[in-house]
Amino acid sequence: MSAHSSPSRRYHGVNQCTNNRSEKRRLTTNELLFSAGCFSTKPTNGSTTAMDISTKPVFSFSLNYKVFEKLVTCGKYDGIHSCLTMVTTADKILIHTPHKRYGLQNSKLSISEIKNDIALLNMNFPIRAIVAGRLKKDDERDVLVIGSPSHVLAYHVDENCNMFQRDFHEGVRSAVIGPYAYHPGNTLIVGGNAVVRGYNQDGTEVLWLITAGSVVALLLIDIDKDGQNELIIGTDDGCIRIYKKETLLHEFTEGNEIQNLVALRTGQFMYSVKNGTIGVFEENVRMWRIKSKARATAMATYDILGCEAKQMIVGWKSGKIDVRDPRTGDVWFRMKMNDFVCGIACNDYRGIGLLDLVIVTADGEIRGYTTPNVNMLTLHNIADEEMSALLTQKQKLLLELKHYENNIKYNKEILSNTNESNLVQSVPDNVGIIPSNTRLQIGISTSYDSNDMNIDITVSTNNSTTIRAVLIFADQLFKEETLIAHLTKDVSRILIPLRTLKDNAQDIHIKAFVGYPSSVQFHVFELTRQLPKFAMYTIPHNLTGSPKSVSYINTLPTKDGPGASYVEFRISERLKRICIWVNQNFLLPSDIEYMTSDADATELNLNLISLRTAKAVCLHFSYDGKTRFYTEDIGLAGDLVQSLVQFLNIDNMNSTGCFPAVAEEVKDQFQKLQGLQDTEKQISSEIVEHINQIKSHLIRAEDARYYNGEDVIKYHNEMMATNEDLVKSYKIRLVNTNEIQLALKRIHGILYNASRLRAGTFASAMIGRFKEALKTHNIDAVLKIIEMGEM
């Protein structure tokens, strides 16, 4: 079938995950309690991914306690000895140190009867985050910070007392301690649902930031190398944001929840994503990224190979531990644990003045490694490894060259004397031959009729060759990052509809298998296309592909009118530059150009339609700088403003926002939040009353044992009934607390989107104004700040 007569196929493919790194031979480790480390080298047999290096732990033991993921830290609570701290079952915190025994004991801190080097902190609330660090300026002792769904607690382990406790209604998800901004000493920074708070050593709140999504990872690092730490936050919506004081510097988007953020060196940090991706950023540039089938559960930096430079230590859900090159992500060394890795810490655990790499698994196994005295990389025969890799590459290239030579041979000998249809019959089935002029054509466009509103990717060939399969890889476009379209019929053109969930620019990598219906071998064509940031918004009119003038675009009518919701601001820029921004960020049927016929044009009215909601999105630019973006989605309005501001390099800009639906939602959420908080107070008072009643029943039952034995059962039954009421009250309060967190998260999300309508100091100043308005529950002030940017 020729290319002109073959029908186009619309394919709704299935998602399939691909692994960028193949599984290599597993390396074993021998458990050796406080012994010297050792190593060995063996021939690599052509393996270039992981060197055949083995190492032994300097200590290894088991605590026989279950440990939870990411709830592992290490601190010097007496200022001298390192204590490994982790969360175990029944809301208990386990503190292990072989160097000191705790003499104090109360209802919160108790010594294990089995192992006297283990202390248990008994908490009566769920634990969501722990971190240890110095918080007092003139105190060398570390403080243990514990986060729960309702509050944050700073606990002084050495003195066995609470340092301070603060309510955290947004629910604690992460915490970090370190110097930040202009605050003296160290700052405790806590992340929750769409909010970040900072506390000093007295528990006074010194930092308040709002963001989108729940903050599940925090890191303090000097990313811009100016001598002051920046705050890096990772959220469950897949965003990495870098803050300097209260100002947002950079924002990056990944495909899934950010789970770990770890500093490499000044200006560099590594991260892991829930979908198995790990990578490294240097300042605001991503150096590399690798995708794996497993999920990284813990990360650290340590020189475990003795090469005088720290390597990346990555623990996986499968129990595997990788030692990687921070520059490229290549695996140098692998180990295998008996269970998955819950946490990795670097500290002087043996008390000899040297940092050890301490690895904690889910079943309570602890292994410690130290830096060897010799460089394992120099002992490894790198020359043999490189020669083996080059020989393997040579074989691949020779095979590929043979296929090309066969293709040229048949094209010269057969195609010169016969037509293309005879070529198919003349070539053997086991030879993958296609005409030398075969080209793969990729087209990306939008379709916007009532039944079909998608981004269409068209893959076709320029002759009668057929497409057997198409692989599309995009980091954030598909659930598992890869779409495979495997065709059952022989066609020369395939149409693949796509829909993006978020407005992010991304590269689309396309591989197509091309051949003939009877072919056994296929040619693989690889192409890359970029999907613009706002590809899901297009002009709802049939236009030719030739460039259109500004005057012509202004004559196109809008679908439903601009609407009543908009953001308005002023910029000093020519319409020609605005056209360049539109062409780079939107997937329009034709480019917009400022032509000579537009000399009298004083405005650009770009009336678009959203392929997700079928609602109008109108962008109006005036020659005098007045700009209005009409849309009901305040988040989209913020994205448009930030994209334009970055393109035009605008440092500071204020705006006016009018979003009636958002204003009504803010009022509803505040009223709902007020009712939920009143309910919480009532439930708390009922719980206190139930507890007092239980104490009273217990005392009466004890008295009845001595004076009237018949009333013992009566009082015990009353105590059981009151206890049931107490349990019900706890369950109701838990549901109420979850509702409060959802309401706060939505309010903070709206306020964050409102701050994105401004740029620079205007955006950062809004955060402080929001904080003051929220303290007094001043809804009118909040609405005015959303609208005008100020109170």
Side-chain angles (χ1 to χ4, degrees):
M1 185 179 294
S2 66
H4 299 289
S5 61
S6 61
S8 95
R9 295 288 307 282
R10 182 172 292 276
Y11 183 81
H12 296 271
V14 296
N15 294 327
Q16 179 170 325
C17 178
T18 59
N19 185 14
N20 296 341
R21 298 287 181 183
S22 58
E23 181 73 19
K24 299 297 179 182
R25 182 177 64 83
R26 293 179 176 176
L27 300 173
T28 60
T29 55
N30 298 322
E31 295 184 356
L32 185 62
L33 181 60
F34 288 98
S35 66
C38 64
F39 62 90
S40 66
T41 58
K42 299 178 182 179
T44 61
N45 297 326
S47 174
T48 59
T49 302
M51 296 183 180
D52 193 2
I53 302 172
S54 63
T55 185
K56 292 182 180 180
V58 293
F59 60 87
S60 177
F61 57 93
S62 179
L63 297 175
N64 295 320
Y65 283 90
K66 182 179 179 181
V67 181
F68 293 115
E69 180 184 343
K70 292 185 66 175
L71 298 180
V72 176
T73 187
C74 191
K76 295 182 178 181
Y77 303 121
D78 60 355
I80 302 174
H81 305 100
S82 295
C83 302
L84 195 60
T85 309
M86 62 205 76
V87 176
T88 184
T89 55
D91 300 328
K92 293 182 179 180
I93 296 178
L94 185 149
I95 302 176
H96 176 265
T97 173
H99 308 289
K100 179 181 178 181
R101 297 182 182 180
Y102 293 94
L104 298 176
Q105 181 169 338
N106 62 9
S107 60
K108 185 172 292 185
L109 181 66
S110 60
I111 308 300
S112 172
E113 297 179 357
I114 301 176
K115 297 182 178 181
N116 53 18
D117 56 354
I118 294 177
L120 294 174
L121 287 173
N122 299 296
M123 300 296 170
N124 57 357
F125 52 81
I127 302 171
R128 296 291 181 264
I130 61 170
V131 66
R134 289 179 55 188
L135 200 54
K136 289 186 176 181
K137 185 177 181 180
D138 300 325
D139 193 346
E140 296 292 334
R141 297 174 297 179
D142 289 342
V143 174
L144 179 62
V145 176
I146 307 164
S148 77
S150 59
H151 65 274
V152 56
L153 169 66
Y155 177 70
H156 210 305
V157 178
D158 192 56
E159 296 180 0
N160 200 12
C161 65
N162 294 345
M163 190 171 174
F164 63 82
Q165 179 174 327
R166 296 294 179 267
D167 292 335
F168 206 98
H169 296 293
E170 295 84 2
V172 178
R173 298 292 302 274
S174 56
V176 67
I177 298 176
Y180 183 62
Y182 47 81
H183 308 298
N186 287 346
T187 303
L188 166 63
I189 301 178
V190 183
N193 290 325
V195 68
V196 176
R197 300 179 189 270
Y199 303 92
N200 61 13
Q201 63 178 7
D202 300 323
T204 304
E205 186 176 304
V206 295
L207 176 68
W208 188 80
L209 297 174
I210 52 176
T211 183
S214 298
V215 180
V216 294
L218 289 169
L219 174 64
L220 288 172
I221 182 176
D222 183 11
I223 197 69
D224 57 2
K225 302 177 183 179
D226 65 345
Q228 287 189 343
N229 282 343
E230 281 73 45
L231 175 64
I232 305 179
I233 68 174
T235 59
D236 60 354
D237 59 354
C239 289
I240 298 176
R241 297 181 176 92
I242 302 178
Y243 285 88
K244 189 175 187 65
K245 298 181 181 178
E246 289 85 10
T247 303
L248 177 63
L249 293 183
H250 307 288
E251 183 176 0
F252 315 100
T253 304
E254 294 293 331
N256 211 313
E257 176 183 320
I258 308 298
Q259 292 201 316
N260 293 283
L261 294 171
V262 178
L264 272 173
R265 56 180 63 90
T266 302
Q268 284 189 353
F269 68 93
M270 54 184 176
Y271 69 96
S272 69
V273 189
K274 191 175 182 179
N275 60 10
T277 300
I278 62 173
V280 168
F281 273 94
E282 183 170 1
E283 296 187 9
N284 61 338
V285 178
R286 184 169 56 198
M287 305 302 295
W288 56 265
R289 177 176 56 182
I290 294 174
K291 177 72 164 57
S292 176
K293 289 182 179 178
R295 177 174 60 87
T297 55
M299 306 179 78
T301 58
Y302 188 78
D303 184 12
I304 198 174
L305 299 180
C307 55
E308 298 182 355
K310 292 184 178 181
Q311 302 93 47
M312 288 178 57
I313 314 296
V314 184
W316 300 88
K317 185 71 174 179
S318 59
K320 180 179 63 176
I321 297 176
D322 291 344
V323 179
R324 294 178 177 266
D325 183 359
R327 299 167 297 179
T328 61
D330 293 336
V331 178
W332 282 347
F333 171 47
R334 280 198 175 107
M335 297 183 292
K336 178 67 177 178
M337 306 294 287
N338 296 325
D339 207 338
F340 75 88
V341 181
C342 287
I344 303 176
C346 297
N347 55 80
D348 183 14
Y349 204 59
R350 293 177 293 168
I352 60 175
L354 296 176
L355 294 180
D356 296 323
L357 179 71
V358 182
I359 300 173
V360 183
T361 63
D363 59 357
E365 181 185 6
I366 312 295
R367 292 188 189 181
Y369 297 85
T370 190
T371 302
N373 296 325
V374 295
N375 190 335
M376 292 187 179
L377 295 182
T378 59
L379 294 178
H380 183 75
N381 196 340
I382 299 179
D384 291 344
E385 179 181 322
E386 292 180 350
M387 180 61 69
S388 178
L390 291 174
L391 290 175
T392 303
Q393 185 68 16
K394 178 183 178 182
Q395 296 297 326
K396 293 180 180 179
L397 293 175
L398 288 175
L399 181 60
E400 187 175 351
L401 179 61
K402 181 180 178 180
H403 290 162
Y404 279 118
E405 290 175 346
N406 288 336
N407 194 78
I408 295 173
K409 173 185 175 182
Y410 280 96
N411 272 281
K412 286 183 177 180
E413 296 180 358
I414 300 177
L415 190 59
S416 60
N417 301 320
T418 61
N419 55 30
E420 186 181 346
S421 60
N422 294 331
L423 175 64
V424 182
Q425 301 175 358
S426 304
V427 178
D429 292 342
N430 61 345
V431 179
I433 301 302
I434 60 175
S436 58
N437 63 346
T438 302
R439 298 291 183 269
L440 190 69
Q441 300 171 343
I442 306 295
I444 302 179
S445 60
T446 55
S447 56
Y448 52 87
D449 55 51
S450 57
N451 298 323
D452 187 10
M453 302 184 70
N454 301 298
I455 301 172
D456 292 336
I457 297 182
T458 305
V459 183
S460 61
T461 60
N462 62 339
N463 50 36
S464 62
T465 54
T466 60
I467 301 174
R468 180 57 57 90
V470 177
L471 282 74
I472 301 179
F473 175 82
D475 181 32
Q476 304 166 34
L477 197 56
F478 313 112
K479 183 178 179 181
E480 298 295 342
E481 298 187 356
T482 304
L483 178 77
I484 300 179
H486 190 277
L487 306 181
T488 57
K489 295 183 179 180
D490 300 315
V491 295
S492 298
R493 184 173 183 269
I494 177 175
L495 183 65
I496 304 176
L498 304 174
R499 292 177 66 89
T500 63
L501 299 178
K502 297 181 179 180
D503 295 326
N504 295 316
Q506 53 189 311
D507 292 330
I508 300 177
H509 306 279
I510 301 174
K511 292 184 179 181
F513 298 166
V514 179
Y516 284 106
S518 59
S519 299
V520 178
Q521 297 179 348
F522 294 87
H523 285 251
V524 179
F525 288 81
E526 299 185 28
L527 295 174
T528 299
R529 294 290 185 269
Q530 188 177 48
L531 199 66
K533 183 178 180 66
F534 303 106
M536 291 294 289
Y537 307 91
T538 187
I539 298 176
H541 300 282
N542 293 321
L543 303 177
T544 60
S546 58
K548 297 295 184 294
S549 66
V550 172
S551 301
Y552 178 81
I553 294 297
N554 290 338
T555 61
L556 299 177
T558 181
K559 180 186 176 185
D560 299 321
S565 301
Y566 65 88
V567 56
E568 180 181 325
F569 53 94
R570 286 188 176 273
I571 55 176
S572 299
E573 195 56 68
R574 298 167 298 167
L575 291 180
K576 187 175 182 179
R577 286 269 292 167
I578 300 299
C579 292
I580 297 175
W581 172 75
V582 171
N583 294 332
Q584 289 183 358
N585 289 274
F586 291 86
L587 189 61
L588 303 181
S590 60
D591 288 343
I592 303 175
E593 292 186 4
Y594 191 83
M595 302 179 180
T596 55
S597 59
D598 296 324
D600 297 332
T602 59
E603 61 181 3
L604 169 61
N605 296 328
L606 185 60
N607 300 318
L608 307 172
I609 184 174
S610 171
L611 299 181
R612 297 191 187 98
T613 61
K615 294 183 178 180
V617 178
C618 303
L619 312 182
H620 292 179
F621 303 89
S622 297
Y623 190 80
D624 60 356
K626 181 180 177 181
T627 305
R628 273 196 180 190
F629 293 164
Y630 291 90
T631 176
E632 296 179 0
D633 188 352
I634 189 173
L636 172 61
D639 290 340
L640 290 168
V641 170
Q642 293 300 316
S643 176
L644 183 61
V645 164
Q646 292 177 8
F647 178 79
L648 300 178
N649 294 321
I650 299 175
D651 295 329
N652 298 294
M653 188 195 72
N654 198 7
S655 64
T656 302
C658 179
F659 296 91
V662 173
E664 290 298 324
E665 183 179 2
V666 170
K667 294 179 181 179
D668 294 341
Q669 291 292 340
F670 267 101
Q671 292 177 359
K672 178 181 178 181
L673 182 62
Q674 186 66 41
L676 291 171
Q677 291 175 343
D678 293 340
T679 303
E680 183 181 33
K681 294 179 181 178
Q682 181 180 355
I683 295 174
S684 299
S685 62
E686 291 178 357
I687 289 176
V688 172
E689 183 179 352
H690 290 323
I691 292 175
N692 292 331
Q693 290 178 1
I694 290 175
K695 291 179 179 179
S696 175
H697 293 322
L698 181 61
I699 293 174
R700 292 181 180 181
E702 289 296 322
D703 292 341
R705 289 176 56 192
Y706 295 98
Y707 302 105
N708 188 1
E710 297 178 356
D711 293 337
V712 173
I713 297 177
K714 170 187 172 183
Y715 290 127
H716 272 285
N717 290 336
E718 292 178 355
M719 184 171 58
M720 291 295 294
T722 307
N723 186 68
E724 292 179 359
D725 294 337
L726 179 62
V727 172
K728 292 179 181 178
S729 298
Y730 268 113
K731 291 180 178 179
I732 295 173
R733 188 171 70 172
L734 178 61
V735 175
N736 190 79
T737 301
N738 293 334
E739 291 293 330
I740 290 176
Q741 292 181 2
L742 291 176
L744 288 172
K745 183 177 181 179
R746 180 54 187 160
I747 291 174
H748 291 155
I750 293 174
L751 301 184
Y752 174 76
N753 290 329
S755 68
R756 288 173 58 82
L757 301 178
R758 287 88 187 175
T761 56
F762 292 98
S764 57
M766 284 184 60
I767 305 301
R769 298 189 181 105
F770 277 137
K771 180 180 178 181
E772 296 300 324
L774 290 175
K775 282 183 177 180
T776 57
H777 293 275
N778 192 339
I779 302 178
D780 294 334
V782 172
L783 296 179
K784 186 177 180 181
I785 296 171
I786 294 176
E787 180 181 358
M788 305 299 297
E790 56 188 15
M791 298 179 65

